[in-house]
Amino acid sequence: MIKTFRAALLIPAFAAIAFAFSGNAMAHSKAADPSKYVTQSIAVAGAVEHKLRLSVDDLKAFPPSQVSDTPLVCQSGAKVGQLENIKGVLLRDVLEKASVVSKNHNDVKKTVVIAKASDGYKVVFSWSELFNSPLGEGVIVFFEKDGKALEDDEGRIALVSTKDIRTGPRHVKWLKAIEVKKIVD
Ligand SMILES: Nc1nc2c(c(=O)[nH]1)N[C@H]1C(S)=C(S)[C@@H](COP(=O)(O)O)O[C@H]1N2
Ligand SMILES: [Mo]
């Protein structure tokens, strides 16, 4: 009993020591090799009239959207970074090009937009958030930070909802796809 208790204390203690000695490099490289997650284009699919495949160059043909400073705050409340001077396009504009399917007047109100990353991370937006609330003005598919292409730790294309209270969760690194889905009848 006492032995198991001691072991239970020791294992996390060793883990904590190992973590402390690993320093910054480890704290930031959550993905050991982020280059494997890097995406060069995004697919727009699901309940849309026109499926799209958009590269960075394709995105550059949309009206540009720029945000100067967005602090990144995790769901836990911890500040995890800062997105400086990002350049991209509104998710809304991408969806307008794909044209969300709306057979009935009320369909869009039951529709969500899923942003998917190549590491399996996914977040959702409702159609109403994007098209019928001020939040939509701040949801950006971006490909430049401070005038430079995104590094491997974020992929060439990422997404962020800049008007969220905590911006970390809906900062999607390595953006791979946008799926539109009506979720109730
Ligand atoms: N693709 C992808 N994007 C992601 C995540 C993830 O696991 N995968 N985690 C999110 C969370 S919860 C936070 S707080 C920020 C943290 O970014 P960081 O890993 O660079 O600290 O990224 C967000 N974007
Ligand atoms: Mo987070």
Side-chain angles (χ1 to χ4, degrees), residues 47 49 100-108:
E49 305 283 356
V100 172
V101 170
S102 181
K103 292 202 188 82
N104 301 307
H105 177 65
N106 289 328
D107 277 355
V108 288

Side-chain angles (χ1 to χ4, degrees), residues 39-86:
T39 56
Q40 306 290 343
S41 66
I42 57 167
V44 185
V48 292
E49 305 283 356
H50 320 287
K51 284 187 180 175
L52 306 173
R53 159 79 54 190
L54 302 169
S55 65
V56 170
D57 281 346
D58 296 329
L59 290 170
K60 284 180 179 166
F62 283 81
S65 182
Q66 236 159 318
V67 180
S68 52
D69 267 351
T70 302
L72 278 177
V73 181
C74 179
Q75 199 171 334
S76 65
K79 188 172 175 204
V80 291
Q82 175 106 349
L83 291 178
E84 265 156 41
N85 214 354
I86 55 167

Side-chain angles (χ1 to χ4, degrees), residues 20-184:
F21 276 98
S22 67
N24 254 353
M26 177 125 169
H28 285 287
S29 60
K30 278 146 217 155
D33 180 14
S35 68
K36 69 178 179 199
Y37 294 125
V38 169
T39 56
Q40 306 290 343
S41 66
I42 57 167
V44 185
V48 292
E49 305 283 356
H50 320 287
K51 284 187 180 175
L52 306 173
R53 159 79 54 190
L54 302 169
S55 65
V56 170
D57 281 346
D58 296 329
L59 290 170
K60 284 180 179 166
F62 283 81
S65 182
Q66 236 159 318
V67 180
S68 52
D69 267 351
T70 302
L72 278 177
V73 181
C74 179
Q75 199 171 334
S76 65
K79 188 172 175 204
V80 291
Q82 175 106 349
L83 291 178
E84 265 156 41
N85 214 354
I86 55 167
K87 188 174 167 192
V89 307
L90 289 184
L91 176 57
R92 220 163 56 184
D93 289 344
V94 170
L95 290 167
E96 254 160 17
K97 176 140 198 227
S99 186
V100 172
V101 170
S102 181
K103 292 202 188 82
N104 301 307
H105 177 65
N106 289 328
D107 277 355
V108 288
K109 302 161 197 168
K110 298 179 268 191
T111 297
V112 301
V113 175
I114 310 163
K116 301 178 175 178
S118 59
D119 65 336
Y121 193 71
K122 298 181 188 81
V123 301
V124 302
F125 294 91
S126 64
W127 180 93
S128 301
E129 268 184 298
L130 296 172
F131 288 92
N132 194 24
S133 105
L135 187 128
E137 291 287 339
V139 182
I140 296 167
V141 176
F142 66 100
F143 45 79
E144 264 178 38
K145 229 162 49 176
D146 255 343
K148 289 187 288 269
L150 303 185
E151 307 268 352
D152 284 1
D153 63 356
E154 221 169 15
R156 298 297 96 81
I157 307 172
L159 174 145
V160 65
S161 177
T162 58
K163 294 189 179 179
D164 282 7
I165 294 170
R166 290 183 174 168
T167 46
R170 292 202 288 189
H171 163 228
V172 181
K173 302 180 276 188
W174 312 299
L175 186 65
K176 179 177 96 168
I178 302 293
E179 187 193 342
V180 180
K181 196 171 184 177
K182 193 178 103 182
I183 56 164
V184 280

